[in-house]
Amino acid sequence: RMEQPTLSSATNPLIDALVLQHLQKRFPQSAECLQRELASRDAAAAAPPPTNRHALLMLLAPPGDETPLWATAYAEVRDWVDGALDTEGARYKPELSRLLWPLFAYTYLELLRAGAREQAGGFFASFHADHALMRRDELNQLSQVSSAEQVDASEFARRLLTSRYEVRLSAFSRALLLGFVAERRLQLTLRMLNERIKLALPETLAPSDGGGPAAVALEDDVHGGA
């Protein structure tokens, strides 16, 4: 039987407890998986904490202003998925990559809703190429929305914001994700996962072409309700 990969650097006991508590409430199967991983992990092999750009921006941002945090939160998750997963955990990259499109789209729309048009434009310019191959039509629709007023007027944007985007992740991929988000203190990402994205276990979804609802056109990606 193939060994489960280790959680890359989530060695803070408080973070482990918080993630486990969250999983036990919402995703019991993921909690069991994480408990097994924590039980087998060598606590003495803790890696030094990485520099946390997101936490630094939180300290520098004016009170109540979250706009500088949205782009860096997306960038942290993107960089982790693209290259920061360890060798064993890399086999979960295709699953975790499914999160990047909804995180990108919601981040862009949140920046526009906050009135940060310049930051939204810079964010789109910096990261849209990540999705150009697989999401060309959706990107085209998203690029036509460039202000808070257009967010309200766009059927595409309204449908995305009033529904939860469904992404299928295995229990261990979910544990990896939540461990990383907690470790890096990506509060906006956690909020987006709770409010905008529905994480579904593969076995809970009907058989399909292997990609699930999150792999087809956006019209089929978005499902209402929690």
Side-chain angles (χ1 to χ4, degrees):
R1 189 173 63 87
M2 190 174 297
E3 288 186 348
Q4 291 283 14
T6 57
L7 294 175
S8 55
S9 57
T11 56
N12 185 310
L14 178 58
I15 289 173
D16 291 341
L18 289 173
V19 173
L20 188 57
Q21 182 181 41
H22 177 82
L23 289 173
Q24 286 171 334
K25 289 180 179 179
R26 302 193 60 183
F27 308 108
Q29 290 176 285
S30 298
E32 292 177 7
C33 183
L34 181 58
Q35 282 180 308
R36 289 194 298 270
E37 171 62 22
L38 294 176
S40 64
R41 190 178 60 192
D42 183 3
T51 302
N52 195 332
R53 293 175 292 163
H54 189 80
L56 179 62
L57 280 174
M58 288 181 69
L59 293 175
L60 297 177
D65 182 12
E66 295 181 335
T67 53
L69 307 180
W70 285 107
T72 189
Y74 173 82
E76 292 248 7
V77 176
R78 171 187 179 267
D79 291 347
W80 173 68
V81 170
D82 279 352
L85 286 171
D86 59 33
T87 303
E88 290 183 335
R91 68 174 176 268
Y92 290 86
K93 179 177 176 178
E95 282 190 25
L96 292 164
S97 295
R98 297 171 188 166
L99 284 163
L100 296 181
W101 164 251
L103 289 176
F104 171 82
Y106 284 125
T107 296
Y108 178 68
L109 293 176
E110 290 291 353
L111 286 169
L112 289 178
R113 293 175 75 196
R117 293 185 64 178
E118 184 175 346
Q119 288 174 283
F123 173 79
F124 191 95
S126 296
F127 298 112
H128 78 281
D130 295 346
H131 312 285
L133 181 63
M134 300 298 295
R135 299 288 180 176
R136 183 178 60 182
D137 292 340
E138 292 95 326
L139 273 177
N140 181 53
Q141 294 183 73
L142 199 62
S143 68
Q144 297 174 32
V145 181
S146 59
S147 68
E149 293 75 19
Q150 290 178 357
V151 171
D152 294 334
S154 166
E155 180 183 350
F156 175 84
R158 288 200 313 272
R159 187 169 65 252
L160 190 58
L161 290 170
T162 57
S163 305
R164 294 181 69 183
Y165 190 105
E166 189 170 282
V167 178
R168 62 171 71 181
L169 289 181
S170 66
F172 202 80
S173 288
R174 186 182 291 109
L176 286 172
L177 171 67
L178 294 177
F180 174 77
V181 168
E183 180 188 9
R184 304 296 290 187
R185 300 180 184 179
L186 302 179
Q187 297 175 11
L188 294 180
T189 302
L190 184 59
R191 185 198 306 173
M192 194 174 291
L193 291 172
N194 285 332
E195 298 177 359
R196 302 291 189 192
I197 297 174
K198 179 179 179 181
L199 301 181
L201 290 171
E203 59 266 28
T204 66
L205 298 176
S208 66
D209 61 357
V216 296
L218 186 61
E219 284 74 8
D220 297 323
D221 279 342
V222 177
H223 304 280

